[in-house]
Amino acid sequence: FLPFTEGYPSPTSIEEQKRTSIAVSLDEPDAVWALAVGKVGGGDGLVGIYKSSDTGKSWERKCCGDSDGGVPSVTNKNIMEWDCDGENPGGQYYYDLALGVNPNNREEILTGGINLWLSRDGGASMKCHSDFIYRRNPETYVHADIHDIHYVNGNLWVASDGGIYMSNDNLESFQKKMHGLHGTDFRGFDVGFFNDQIMVGGTYHNGTMLQENNIYEN
């Protein structure tokens, strides 16, 4: 891999590979998969998906395009970006990044960034499987900013900024698994100086919330 910078560097840093997520599958125990991201070759987002079949001694690039990084295009997808066409630079790979390989099928690979991307041919092709815009495909919707992907007892679990989602039908649909659990990350909060029944809070990624007496507004 290219030089790796630990932690969460700024997306405006100099050109370099920044983060890597790895995964293995019981279906091929000597194989290691790696999802590398950063700013490489004039591109910003995906550097590549790589596979080692010999426990890390050697590596082969599996996706996406003909070279590491590079400018996104139809033939050089950036699966870290916001849109599902993968033809634009950027993304939030310095914040959210996940990789999973099906323990029962070495050919099924899932990557998480803003959207969930799926390959069922060992990385030869990648499809945007879950769009973070709900109305585009409600059945397979998963909230944006994906941090973890796990296969458990034949089911797929995805953890994101918006909660936990599970698929038990071969990724045909996802169910929310955080009912009854409510949490909001506030970046700032205060009450009115003259009226302590007025409260305002600014949340992380989810707007501003206001309470005035018994009236709540988001």
Side-chain angles (χ1 to χ4, degrees):
F1 299 112
L2 300 167
F4 172 69
T5 302
E6 294 184 352
Y8 301 85
S10 165
T12 59
S13 299
I14 60 173
E15 182 166 300
E16 62 184 343
Q17 191 219 324
K18 296 184 182 298
R19 300 177 66 198
T20 303
S21 183
I22 64 173
V24 296
S25 169
L26 290 173
D27 192 38
E28 192 178 8
D30 287 339
V32 183
W33 290 86
L35 169 64
V37 295
K39 303 180 76 171
V40 172
D44 177 13
L46 178 70
V47 174
I49 299 176
Y50 304 85
K51 180 183 180 182
S52 171
S53 299
D54 52 13
T55 64
K57 297 181 180 67
S58 62
W59 294 86
E60 179 184 2
R61 191 170 188 275
K62 292 293 185 178
C63 181
C64 301
D66 298 324
S67 61
D68 298 325
V71 177
S73 67
V74 175
T75 58
N76 189 45
K77 298 286 187 180
N78 172 24
I79 60 177
M80 295 291 105
E81 69 131 319
W82 287 269
D83 292 332
C84 266
D85 60 16
E87 297 174 26
N88 300 295
Q92 295 179 166
Y93 51 85
Y94 47 88
Y95 169 66
D96 43 64
L97 185 67
L99 175 67
V101 184
N102 192 324
N104 301 310
N105 180 5
R106 70 188 75 182
E107 298 297 311
E108 183 173 288
I109 303 156
L110 280 161
T111 66
I114 294 171
N115 297 308
L116 187 69
W117 288 68
L118 168 67
S119 173
R120 286 195 164 121
D121 54 14
S125 63
M126 296 290 297
K127 177 184 177 181
C128 183
H129 187 71
S130 299
D131 192 320
F132 83 100
I133 303 296
Y134 176 82
R135 67 178 181 274
R136 291 176 181 168
N137 197 345
E139 286 297 312
T140 59
Y141 170 77
V142 171
H143 192 280
D145 306 339
I146 298 166
H147 298 277
D148 218 349
I149 297 171
H150 281 290
Y151 291 84
V152 181
N153 297 327
N155 300 327
L156 176 71
W157 294 80
V158 177
S160 74
D161 274 9
I164 301 171
Y165 296 78
M166 186 270 284
S167 175
N168 59 4
D169 57 5
N170 199 30
L171 307 183
E172 291 296 322
S173 64
F174 281 90
Q175 307 168 29
K176 293 180 180 180
K177 288 295 180 179
M178 59 281 190
H179 292 297
L181 177 65
H182 299 275
T184 300
D185 183 7
F186 282 90
R187 299 298 295 269
F189 179 84
D190 213 337
V191 298
F193 184 80
F194 294 105
N195 183 352
D196 61 8
Q197 294 303 303
I198 294 177
M199 295 182 287
V200 177
T203 71
Y204 185 70
H205 275 206
N206 290 291
T208 301
M209 296 184 179
L210 167 68
Q211 177 194 4
E212 182 174 359
N213 296 307
N214 293 321
I215 298 174
Y216 292 86
E217 292 185 6
N218 182 5

